[in-house]
C-alpha cells in the first residue's frame, strides 16, 4: 500500500526521511529539525522516527518545545529547517476539543471528510466513542469529556496513518481522564494509527505508550521502550523504575523510593 | 426530630404532568413577552390622563384617543392633499426595503473582501471609515443636486444609512473568528472556499446580526430625513405637508407608523437571529 508522504525538506536528509516514510515502515521521520523563535532556539537539530502503528509518548518540561514539534509534524508550522516526512493522512487532537460551535456534532465530523459515505462513517465513529446519542447536539452543550471524545472521533474518522495528540486530556478531571485513556487504547488497538502523544504527565505516558521520549534542550534527551503488556498496572516494578528514571530526566529531584527531595 | 415536607402548590396539566404553580395560562403570558408591553401601555395611559386633565395642552400634543381618530380618518379618506395613510406607508416601505437590502448586500460583500485579505482591507477599509465619518445629514442636499428630486437620492440615502453599521460589524465579526479554527481548517484539509463557508462566515454571523439590527435603525432614520425634503409621496411627505397645515396629530400618526414598522422589522430580525444562532449558549445574568 503506497503511503502519501508530506515532506518538509530543506537539507540533504530529505531523501532519507521521505523514503523512510514512503516505504510504509515509518509514519514519521524527522532529521535535524531546528526551530527558532527570534533569538531563542526551541528545537535544536532534533531527530526522531515513529514506526507505523507505534504508540509514542513525548514528555518534557513546560516550554521544552513539545507542542512546537507536534505543530511542525501537523504541518501547522512550516517555518522550520531540517527535514521531515510524515505519512498522510495526519489527524490532530488539540488540548481544547476545537469543535466548530455552529455545527452539530455529526457535521463537525463530516466537515472536510472526503469519503463515499461521510454520514455513515461519522455516525459509526461517534458510536465507537460512546456519543451515539449526541450526534445532533450542539457542541456548546457537551461536557468537556464528551467534546474531547468527539474530537477523537473526528480524528479517527479520517483513518489516519499518524495521529497527533497535544496534551488532549490536561483540561479534564482525573476520572474522565482515566476513561479517556481506556478509550484511546481501544481506538488505537482497533485502528492502529501511529500515535504521538504529547503530554506533561509521566504516568499517562507510561500507561499508554510503547516508547517514551523525553524532550530536553531542543532534542530527544532520553528514549525508553516500555516493554510491559497492556493493560498496565501502575505498580508494576518496571513502570516504577521507569517513572523514577523519567522524572529524573525531566529534572525532578526524586529519591530512590520516589519521594521528592 | 420530625421531618417536615414542604410542598409546592402543584397543578396538573391535561396529560397529568405536574406543572409549576399558576398553570399554563400564566406560563403562556410570561413566555410570550407580554411583560414587555406593560411599560409602553403605561406610557400611553399616562399620556391620555395628562391630556384629559389639560396638563398637556391640545395645541402642543393631542390625546392618544384623538390621534387614533386622526389615524382612522387618514386610513379611510383618500384626501387630495395626503392620499391615504396606507398609500404613504407603501411608498415609504418600498423605498426602505430597496435601500436597506442594497445597502446590506453591498456592505456584506465589502466586509467579506476586506475581511479575507489584507489587500482588500487596505483598499476598502480606509475609504469606508472616512465616508462613515461624514455626517449623513450634510450629504442630503448634495445628493439632491447630484441625483435629482425623485426617488433615487432617497433610496441612496437609505442605502448609506444601512451600509456603514453592517460593514463595520460584519468586518469585525470576520476578523474576530478564533484563529484556532483556522488551524483546525488546515488540519482537516479544508479548501480556502470551505474555510470561508464553514468557518469564517458562520463565525461572523453573530456580529453580522448586530450590524443588521443597527442597519435597520440607521436606514429608517435616513428614510425619515430623506422623505421630508422634496418628497411627493410617503410618510415623510405626509409629515411635511401636515406641518404646513399645522396638523400635529397627523405628524404624530406618521411617526408612530414609522416606529411600528421599525419595531416589526427589528422583531423579525431578532427572530431570525434566534433561529440562526441557536447554537449559542447565552449568559443571561
Amino acid at each position: 500500500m503506497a503511503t502519501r508522504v508530506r515532506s518538509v525538506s530543506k537539507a540533504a536528509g530529505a531523501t532519507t526521511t521521505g523514503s523512510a516514510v514512503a516505504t510504509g515502515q515509518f509514519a514519521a521521520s524527522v532529521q535535524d529539525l531546528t526551530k527558532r523563535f527570534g533569538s531563542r532556539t526551541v528545537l535544536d537539530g532534533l531527530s526522531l522516527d515513529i514506526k507505523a502503528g507505534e504508540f509514542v509518548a513525548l514528555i518534557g518540561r513546560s516550554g521544552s518545545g513539545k507542542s512546537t514539534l507536534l505543530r511542525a509534524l501537523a504541518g501547522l508550522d512550516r517555518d522550520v529547517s531540517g527535514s521531515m516526512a510524515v505519512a498522510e493522512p495526519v489527524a490532530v487532537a488539540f488540548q481544547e476539543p476545537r469543535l466548530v460551535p455552529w455545527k452539530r456534532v455529526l457535521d463537525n465530523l463530516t466537515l472536510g471528510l472526503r469519503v463515499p459515505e461521510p454520514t455513515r462513517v461519522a455516525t459509526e465513529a461517534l458510536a465507537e466513542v460512546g456519543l451515539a446519542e449526541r450526534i445532533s447536539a450542539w457542541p456548546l452543550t457537551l461536557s468537556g469529556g464528551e467534546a474531547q471524545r468527539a474530537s477523537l472521533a473526528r480524528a479517527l474518522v479520517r483513518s489516519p496513518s499518524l495521529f497527533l495528540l497535544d496534551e488532549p486530556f490536561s483540561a479534564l478531571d482525573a476520572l474522565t481522564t482515566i476513561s479517556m485513556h481506556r478509550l484511546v487504547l481501544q481506538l488505537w488497538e482497533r485502528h492502529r494509527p501511529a500515535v504521538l502523544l504529547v503530554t506533561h504527565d509521566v504516568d499517562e505516558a507510561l500507561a499508554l505508550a510503547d516508547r517514551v521520549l523525553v524532550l530536553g534542550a531542543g532534542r530527544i534527551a532520553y528514549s525508553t521502550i516500555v516493554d510491559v503488556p497492556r493493560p498496565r498496572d501502575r505498580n508494576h516494578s518496571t513502570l516504577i523504575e521507569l517513572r523514577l528514571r523519567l522524572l529524573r530526566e525531566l529534572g525532578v529531584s526524586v529519591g530512590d523510593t520516589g519521594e521528592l527531595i | 426530630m420530625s421531618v417536615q415536607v414542604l410542598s409546592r402548590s402543584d397543578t396538573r396539566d391535561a396529560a397529568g404532568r405536574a406543572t409549576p404553580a399558576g398553570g399554563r395560562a400564566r406560563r403562556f403570558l410570561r413566555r410570550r413577552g407580554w411583560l414587555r408591553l406593560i411599560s409602553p401601555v403605561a406610557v400611553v395611559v399616562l399620556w391620555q390622563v395628562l391630556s384629559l386633565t389639560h396638563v398637556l395642552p391640545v395645541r402642543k400634543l393631542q390625546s392618544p384617543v384623538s390621534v387614533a381618530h386622526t389615524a382612522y380618518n387618514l386610513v379611510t379618506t383618500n384626501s387630495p392633499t395626503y392620499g391615504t395613510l396606507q398609500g404613504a406607508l407603501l411608498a415609504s416601505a418600498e423605498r426602505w426595503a430597496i435601500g436597506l437590502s442594497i445597502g446590506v448586500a453591498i456592505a456584506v460583500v465589502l466586509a467579506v473582501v476586506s475581511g479575507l485579505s489584507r489587500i482588500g482591507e487596505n483598499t476598502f477599509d480606509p475609504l469606508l471609515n472616512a465616508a462613515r465619518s461624514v455626517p449623513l445629514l450634510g450629504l442630503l442636499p448634495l445628493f439632491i443636486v447630484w441625483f435629482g428630486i425623485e426617488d433615487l437620492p432617497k433610496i441612496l440615502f437609505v442605502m448609506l444609512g444601512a451600509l456603514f453599521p453592517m460593514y463595520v460589524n460584519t468586518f469585525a465579526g470576520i476578523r474576530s473568528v478564533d484563529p484556532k479554527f483556522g488551524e483546525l481548517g488546515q488540519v482537516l484539509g479544508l479548501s480556502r472556499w470551505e474555510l470561508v463557508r464553514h468557518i469564517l462566515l458562520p463565525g461572523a454571523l453573530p456580529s453580522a446580526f448586530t450590524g443588521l439590527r443597527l442597519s435597520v435603525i440607521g436606514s429608517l432614520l435616513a428614510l425619515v430625513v430623506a422623505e421630508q425634503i422634496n418628497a411627493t409621496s410617503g410618510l415623510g411627505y405626509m409629515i411635511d405637508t401636515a406641518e404646513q397645515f399645522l396638523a400635529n396629530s397627523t405628524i404624530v400618526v406618521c411617526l408612530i407608523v414609522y416606529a411600528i414598522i421599525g419595531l416589526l422589522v427589528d422583531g423579525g430580525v431578532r427572530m431570525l437571529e434566534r433561529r440562526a444562532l441557536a447554537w449559542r449558549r447565552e449568559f443571561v445574568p
Side-chain angles (χ1 to χ4, degrees):
Chain A
M1 180 184 81
T3 36
R4 298 197 320 268
V5 179
R6 173 172 39 88
S7 276
V8 166
S9 312
K10 294 172 189 174
T15 37
T16 342
T17 51
S19 53
V21 173
T23 58
Q25 202 193 350
F26 289 97
S29 179
V30 175
Q31 232 179 65
D32 227 9
L33 197 69
T34 304
K35 168 77 187 181
R36 288 192 185 85
F37 286 106
S39 57
R40 204 164 57 95
T41 306
V42 177
L43 299 176
D44 191 12
L46 183 146
S47 299
L48 106 91
D49 289 318
I50 302 178
K51 293 195 212 41
E54 189 184 16
F55 198 131
V56 176
L58 180 67
I59 58 177
R61 304 188 73 114
S62 254
S64 54
K66 316 190 286 292
S67 286
T68 311
L69 173 59
L70 187 138
R71 290 169 61 84
L73 285 168
L76 291 173
D77 192 348
R78 313 238 173 191
D79 190 20
V80 292
S81 62
S83 63
M84 179 176 75
V86 296
E88 301 239 297
V90 175
V92 185
F94 298 96
Q95 191 171 353
E96 337 80 28
R98 296 201 197 176
L99 295 173
V100 176
W102 44 85
K103 287 187 174 300
R104 298 186 190 268
V105 172
L106 185 68
D107 297 323
N108 261 281
L109 260 74
T110 55
L111 183 63
L113 187 60
R114 304 180 219 288
V115 296
E117 287 177 303
T119 312
R120 185 184 61 83
V121 171
T123 314
E124 280 170 11
L126 285 169
E128 214 180 323
V129 299
L131 286 176
E133 271 135 41
R134 305 293 258 139
I135 57 174
S136 306
W138 294 114
L140 289 175
T141 63
L142 299 180
S143 70
E146 288 173 326
Q148 201 56 290
R149 276 189 274 156
S151 159
L152 292 180
R154 178 177 59 191
L156 283 161
V157 98
R158 284 161 164 77
S159 307
S161 305
L162 178 62
F163 188 6
L164 303 172
L165 295 108
D166 190 359
E167 305 201 40
F169 312 131
S170 57
L172 301 174
D173 62 271
L175 294 177
T176 313
T177 307
I178 292 173
S179 58
M180 293 294 254
H181 286 172
R182 215 170 283 150
L183 180 63
V184 167
L185 280 180
Q186 259 171 29
L187 297 173
W188 174 66
E189 274 156 17
R190 197 171 304 153
H191 299 271
R192 281 289 173 181
V195 175
L196 178 64
L197 170 71
V198 167
T199 178
H200 61 268
D201 185 351
V202 175
D203 289 314
E204 185 170 274
L206 289 171
L208 300 176
D210 293 321
R211 193 160 49 113
V212 179
L213 308 173
V214 178
L215 186 56
R219 45 180 67 198
I220 305 296
Y222 179 71
S223 163
T224 179
I225 294 185
V226 185
D227 196 8
V228 178
R230 296 186 186 85
R232 293 171 179 163
D233 176 7
R234 351 183 19 203
N235 300 315
H236 192 289
S237 53
T238 317
L239 292 183
I240 294 179
E241 267 175 56
L242 284 176
R243 184 180 304 125
L244 271 182
R245 184 65 205 270
L246 288 171
L247 286 172
R248 286 199 182 121
E249 287 293 334
L250 287 170
V252 179
S253 315
V254 277
D256 291 326
T257 39
E259 79 279 19
L260 297 173
I261 44 177
Chain B
M1 184 180 75
S2 65
V3 176
Q4 224 181 0
V5 176
L6 298 164
S7 63
R8 280 183 319 188
S9 61
D10 235 47
T11 51
R12 301 259 152 193
D13 73 0
R17 288 170 296 212
T19 60
R24 293 156 88 198
R26 201 172 294 178
R27 275 183 303 138
F28 174 78
L29 284 176
R30 221 179 289 157
R31 205 188 315 149
R32 285 297 177 84
W34 296 120
L35 287 174
R36 290 176 67 94
L37 287 179
I38 293 181
S39 42
V41 167
V43 167
V44 172
V45 168
L46 179 65
W47 174 12
Q48 178 69 25
V49 165
L50 289 175
S51 298
L52 281 178
T53 54
H54 297 293
V55 173
L56 197 57
V58 169
R59 285 176 294 109
K60 293 236 164 93
L61 183 64
Q62 290 167 316
S63 70
V65 170
S66 164
V67 167
H69 192 67
T70 315
Y72 178 77
N73 284 338
L74 286 171
V75 168
T76 49
T77 33
N78 190 348
S79 79
T81 21
Y82 305 125
T84 55
L85 187 61
Q86 320 81 289
L89 174 56
L90 211 62
S92 293
E94 205 183 309
R95 288 186 195 117
W96 190 35
I98 297 176
L100 177 60
S101 27
I102 297 181
V104 164
I106 295 181
V108 168
V109 168
L110 287 177
V112 167
V113 170
S114 298
L116 295 184
S117 71
R118 284 283 165 203
I119 299 178
E121 181 186 357
N122 291 333
T123 312
F124 292 112
D125 204 54
L127 287 175
L128 280 155
N129 275 319
R132 187 163 67 100
S133 321
V134 175
L136 269 189
L137 254 54
L139 277 177
L140 191 53
L142 261 183
F143 267 42
I144 293 174
V145 168
W146 289 339
F147 303 112
I149 59 169
E150 295 300 328
D151 264 0
L152 186 59
K154 300 172 186 58
I155 292 179
L156 284 177
F157 207 62
V158 172
M159 192 199 83
L160 279 188
L163 185 89
F164 297 123
M166 190 68 190
Y167 168 78
V168 169
N169 281 282
T170 308
F171 175 68
I174 292 176
R175 283 300 166 93
S176 72
V177 174
D178 197 334
K180 289 190 174 159
F181 290 122
E183 286 190 346
L184 177 71
Q186 241 187 304
V187 152
L188 294 178
L190 296 181
S191 68
R192 193 150 180 172
W193 163 242
E194 281 173 317
L195 194 72
V196 169
R197 183 169 172 259
H198 293 290
I199 303 226
L200 283 176
L201 290 183
L205 214 52
S207 294
F209 266 110
T210 306
L212 185 58
R213 292 179 61 198
L214 292 171
S215 288
V216 163
I217 298 174
S219 55
L220 188 58
L221 234 57
L223 177 70
V224 171
V225 169
E227 277 191 340
Q228 291 186 357
I229 303 185
N230 289 116
T232 51
S233 67
L235 291 168
Y237 166 69
M238 209 178 232
I239 291 180
D240 204 41
T241 317
E243 211 184 321
Q244 292 168 26
F245 287 101
L246 298 174
N248 285 345
S249 45
T250 309
I251 297 179
V252 173
V253 169
C254 290
L255 291 178
I256 290 178
V257 172
Y258 271 133
I260 290 176
I261 44 178
L263 282 173
L264 283 176
V265 175
D266 185 62
V269 171
R270 274 197 286 143
M271 221 169 58
L272 203 68
E273 185 178 14
R274 236 171 323 184
R275 289 273 205 73
L277 301 183
W279 53 266
R280 282 198 301 190
R281 246 196 343 205
E282 288 190 329
F283 169 65
V284 179

